[in-house]
Amino acid sequence: MKTIVLALAASFALTTAAAAQHAGHGDHSAHAAAPVAGTVEGVGVVKKIDAKAGTVTLAHDPIKALNWPAMVMPFKVADKALLGQMKVGAKIRFQLNGQVIVGVRPF
């Protein structure tokens, strides 16, 4: 019985470690120092809008609160109506809650 419990515990530990390592791929979470409570503001230029997917691709300046360097990346929007406030080529201020845009203002 002890052998089964130890084998299950070891299997769980390896699975959890692999999942945690994979979680950082593709979402830039590896650039975040620590979770930040509330919203964080960024500045960027709209590169692409995908209304169907509810995403916008931004070339954003560094976001110090998240320890992110400047980069180009897609973001989901909390409400697709926010996409109507953006146009390709426009410089904007945006508010993030996690990696989701929750607010937009012209720069």
PDB file of all heavy atoms in Angstrom, residues 42-45 59-64 68-71 91 94 107:
ATOM      1  N   GLY A  42      -0.760  49.937 -19.606  1.00  0.00           N
ATOM      2  CA  GLY A  42       0.294  49.855 -20.591  1.00  0.00           C
ATOM      3  C   GLY A  42       0.025  50.823 -21.726  1.00  0.00           C
ATOM      4  O   GLY A  42      -1.069  51.374 -21.843  1.00  0.00           O
ATOM      5  N   VAL A  43       1.027  51.030 -22.556  1.00  0.00           N
ATOM      6  CA  VAL A  43       0.915  51.885 -23.739  1.00  0.00           C
ATOM      7  C   VAL A  43       1.400  51.070 -24.923  1.00  0.00           C
ATOM      8  O   VAL A  43       2.424  50.379 -24.829  1.00  0.00           O
ATOM      9  CB  VAL A  43       1.778  53.165 -23.593  1.00  0.00           C
ATOM     10  CG1 VAL A  43       1.794  53.969 -24.881  1.00  0.00           C
ATOM     11  CG2 VAL A  43       1.282  54.006 -22.425  1.00  0.00           C
ATOM     12  N   GLY A  44       0.651  51.132 -26.010  1.00  0.00           N
ATOM     13  CA  GLY A  44       1.066  50.368 -27.173  1.00  0.00           C
ATOM     14  C   GLY A  44       0.402  50.846 -28.446  1.00  0.00           C
ATOM     15  O   GLY A  44      -0.467  51.715 -28.426  1.00  0.00           O
ATOM     16  N   VAL A  45       0.834  50.265 -29.556  1.00  0.00           N
ATOM     17  CA  VAL A  45       0.281  50.565 -30.871  1.00  0.00           C
ATOM     18  C   VAL A  45      -0.477  49.328 -31.344  1.00  0.00           C
ATOM     19  O   VAL A  45       0.036  48.209 -31.277  1.00  0.00           O
ATOM     20  CB  VAL A  45       1.397  50.927 -31.873  1.00  0.00           C
ATOM     21  CG1 VAL A  45       0.830  51.123 -33.275  1.00  0.00           C
ATOM     22  CG2 VAL A  45       2.139  52.176 -31.405  1.00  0.00           C
ATOM     23  N   ALA A  59       1.834  46.216 -30.100  1.00  0.00           N
ATOM     24  CA  ALA A  59       3.270  46.397 -29.915  1.00  0.00           C
ATOM     25  C   ALA A  59       3.354  47.327 -28.705  1.00  0.00           C
ATOM     26  O   ALA A  59       3.165  48.530 -28.824  1.00  0.00           O
ATOM     27  CB  ALA A  59       3.902  47.034 -31.143  1.00  0.00           C
ATOM     28  N   HIS A  60       3.552  46.750 -27.527  1.00  0.00           N
ATOM     29  CA  HIS A  60       3.493  47.567 -26.313  1.00  0.00           C
ATOM     30  C   HIS A  60       4.872  47.933 -25.788  1.00  0.00           C
ATOM     31  O   HIS A  60       5.859  47.234 -26.016  1.00  0.00           O
ATOM     32  CB  HIS A  60       2.641  46.900 -25.227  1.00  0.00           C
ATOM     33  CG  HIS A  60       3.199  45.624 -24.667  1.00  0.00           C
ATOM     34  ND1 HIS A  60       4.250  45.599 -23.790  1.00  0.00           N
ATOM     35  CD2 HIS A  60       2.827  44.339 -24.859  1.00  0.00           C
ATOM     36  CE1 HIS A  60       4.508  44.349 -23.448  1.00  0.00           C
ATOM     37  NE2 HIS A  60       3.660  43.558 -24.094  1.00  0.00           N
ATOM     38  N   ASP A  61       4.902  49.073 -25.120  1.00  0.00           N
ATOM     39  CA  ASP A  61       6.106  49.527 -24.426  1.00  0.00           C
ATOM     40  C   ASP A  61       6.350  48.607 -23.231  1.00  0.00           C
ATOM     41  O   ASP A  61       5.462  47.839 -22.842  1.00  0.00           O
ATOM     42  CB  ASP A  61       5.912  50.966 -23.935  1.00  0.00           C
ATOM     43  CG  ASP A  61       5.780  51.969 -25.077  1.00  0.00           C
ATOM     44  OD1 ASP A  61       6.091  51.616 -26.232  1.00  0.00           O
ATOM     45  OD2 ASP A  61       5.345  53.108 -24.810  1.00  0.00           O
ATOM     46  N   PRO A  62       7.517  48.708 -22.596  1.00  0.00           N
ATOM     47  CA  PRO A  62       7.735  47.911 -21.384  1.00  0.00           C
ATOM     48  C   PRO A  62       6.645  48.196 -20.356  1.00  0.00           C
ATOM     49  O   PRO A  62       6.173  49.335 -20.226  1.00  0.00           O
ATOM     50  CB  PRO A  62       9.096  48.403 -20.878  1.00  0.00           C
ATOM     51  CG  PRO A  62       9.779  48.958 -22.083  1.00  0.00           C
ATOM     52  CD  PRO A  62       8.678  49.538 -22.931  1.00  0.00           C
ATOM     53  N   ILE A  63       6.231  47.161 -19.646  1.00  0.00           N
ATOM     54  CA  ILE A  63       5.251  47.307 -18.568  1.00  0.00           C
ATOM     55  C   ILE A  63       5.974  46.963 -17.280  1.00  0.00           C
ATOM     56  O   ILE A  63       6.143  45.787 -16.929  1.00  0.00           O
ATOM     57  CB  ILE A  63       4.012  46.409 -18.813  1.00  0.00           C
ATOM     58  CG1 ILE A  63       3.367  46.769 -20.151  1.00  0.00           C
ATOM     59  CG2 ILE A  63       3.007  46.570 -17.660  1.00  0.00           C
ATOM     60  CD1 ILE A  63       2.196  45.890 -20.544  1.00  0.00           C
ATOM     61  N   LYS A  64       6.442  47.996 -16.588  1.00  0.00           N
ATOM     62  CA  LYS A  64       7.281  47.823 -15.404  1.00  0.00           C
ATOM     63  C   LYS A  64       6.580  47.034 -14.304  1.00  0.00           C
ATOM     64  O   LYS A  64       7.202  46.225 -13.631  1.00  0.00           O
ATOM     65  CB  LYS A  64       7.742  49.180 -14.867  1.00  0.00           C
ATOM     66  CG  LYS A  64       8.725  49.862 -15.775  1.00  0.00           C
ATOM     67  CD  LYS A  64       9.159  51.199 -15.217  1.00  0.00           C
ATOM     68  CE  LYS A  64      10.058  51.906 -16.211  1.00  0.00           C
ATOM     69  NZ  LYS A  64      10.507  53.195 -15.730  1.00  0.00           N
ATOM     70  N   TRP A  68       7.694  43.258 -17.777  1.00  0.00           N
ATOM     71  CA  TRP A  68       7.674  42.834 -19.178  1.00  0.00           C
ATOM     72  C   TRP A  68       8.493  43.803 -20.012  1.00  0.00           C
ATOM     73  O   TRP A  68       8.346  45.020 -19.878  1.00  0.00           O
ATOM     74  CB  TRP A  68       6.263  42.854 -19.733  1.00  0.00           C
ATOM     75  CG  TRP A  68       5.378  41.734 -19.322  1.00  0.00           C
ATOM     76  CD1 TRP A  68       5.661  40.704 -18.487  1.00  0.00           C
ATOM     77  CD2 TRP A  68       4.028  41.550 -19.740  1.00  0.00           C
ATOM     78  NE1 TRP A  68       4.572  39.892 -18.358  1.00  0.00           N
ATOM     79  CE2 TRP A  68       3.549  40.384 -19.121  1.00  0.00           C
ATOM     80  CE3 TRP A  68       3.180  42.255 -20.577  1.00  0.00           C
ATOM     81  CZ2 TRP A  68       2.266  39.909 -19.319  1.00  0.00           C
ATOM     82  CZ3 TRP A  68       1.901  41.783 -20.762  1.00  0.00           C
ATOM     83  CH2 TRP A  68       1.456  40.616 -20.142  1.00  0.00           C
ATOM     84  N   PRO A  69       9.315  43.311 -20.913  1.00  0.00           N
ATOM     85  CA  PRO A  69       9.989  44.197 -21.864  1.00  0.00           C
ATOM     86  C   PRO A  69       9.002  44.600 -22.957  1.00  0.00           C
ATOM     87  O   PRO A  69       7.898  44.053 -23.057  1.00  0.00           O
ATOM     88  CB  PRO A  69      11.088  43.294 -22.444  1.00  0.00           C
ATOM     89  CG  PRO A  69      10.507  41.918 -22.380  1.00  0.00           C
ATOM     90  CD  PRO A  69       9.678  41.897 -21.113  1.00  0.00           C
ATOM     91  N   ALA A  70       9.399  45.527 -23.789  1.00  0.00           N
ATOM     92  CA  ALA A  70       8.581  45.884 -24.960  1.00  0.00           C
ATOM     93  C   ALA A  70       8.493  44.657 -25.849  1.00  0.00           C
ATOM     94  O   ALA A  70       9.475  43.931 -26.026  1.00  0.00           O
ATOM     95  CB  ALA A  70       9.219  47.051 -25.706  1.00  0.00           C
ATOM     96  N   MET A  71       7.306  44.411 -26.380  1.00  0.00           N
ATOM     97  CA  MET A  71       7.127  43.261 -27.272  1.00  0.00           C
ATOM     98  C   MET A  71       5.815  43.396 -28.036  1.00  0.00           C
ATOM     99  O   MET A  71       5.011  44.280 -27.748  1.00  0.00           O
ATOM    100  CB  MET A  71       7.153  41.942 -26.496  1.00  0.00           C
ATOM    101  CG  MET A  71       6.005  41.745 -25.525  1.00  0.00           C
ATOM    102  SD  MET A  71       6.133  40.168 -24.658  1.00  0.00           S
ATOM    103  CE  MET A  71       6.672  40.729 -23.058  1.00  0.00           C
ATOM    104  N   LYS A  91      -2.097  54.611 -31.376  1.00  0.00           N
ATOM    105  CA  LYS A  91      -1.401  54.438 -30.107  1.00  0.00           C
ATOM    106  C   LYS A  91      -2.439  54.582 -28.997  1.00  0.00           C
ATOM    107  O   LYS A  91      -3.231  55.533 -29.000  1.00  0.00           O
ATOM    108  CB  LYS A  91      -0.284  55.473 -29.951  1.00  0.00           C
ATOM    109  CG  LYS A  91       0.635  55.196 -28.789  1.00  0.00           C
ATOM    110  CD  LYS A  91       1.881  56.073 -28.843  1.00  0.00           C
ATOM    111  CE  LYS A  91       2.877  55.653 -27.788  1.00  0.00           C
ATOM    112  NZ  LYS A  91       4.110  56.422 -27.869  1.00  0.00           N
ATOM    113  N   PHE A  94      -3.885  51.133 -22.357  1.00  0.00           N
ATOM    114  CA  PHE A  94      -4.788  50.022 -22.076  1.00  0.00           C
ATOM    115  C   PHE A  94      -4.593  49.535 -20.649  1.00  0.00           C
ATOM    116  O   PHE A  94      -3.524  49.697 -20.063  1.00  0.00           O
ATOM    117  CB  PHE A  94      -4.583  48.886 -23.084  1.00  0.00           C
ATOM    118  CG  PHE A  94      -3.187  48.322 -23.113  1.00  0.00           C
ATOM    119  CD1 PHE A  94      -2.859  47.193 -22.387  1.00  0.00           C
ATOM    120  CD2 PHE A  94      -2.190  48.926 -23.876  1.00  0.00           C
ATOM    121  CE1 PHE A  94      -1.570  46.677 -22.410  1.00  0.00           C
ATOM    122  CE2 PHE A  94      -0.906  48.416 -23.916  1.00  0.00           C
ATOM    123  CZ  PHE A  94      -0.594  47.282 -23.181  1.00  0.00           C
ATOM    124  N   PHE A 107      -4.124  57.534 -26.627  1.00  0.00           N
ATOM    125  CA  PHE A 107      -2.882  58.021 -26.022  1.00  0.00           C
ATOM    126  C   PHE A 107      -2.803  59.496 -26.086  1.00  0.00           C
ATOM    127  O   PHE A 107      -3.007  60.386 -26.428  1.00  0.00           O
ATOM    128  CB  PHE A 107      -1.666  57.386 -26.686  1.00  0.00           C
ATOM    129  CG  PHE A 107      -0.375  57.766 -26.012  1.00  0.00           C
ATOM    130  CD1 PHE A 107      -0.027  57.172 -24.823  1.00  0.00           C
ATOM    131  CD2 PHE A 107       0.452  58.701 -26.547  1.00  0.00           C
ATOM    132  CE1 PHE A 107       1.154  57.513 -24.188  1.00  0.00           C
ATOM    133  CE2 PHE A 107       1.650  59.054 -25.929  1.00  0.00           C
ATOM    134  CZ  PHE A 107       1.986  58.453 -24.739  1.00  0.00           C
TER     135      PHE A 107
END
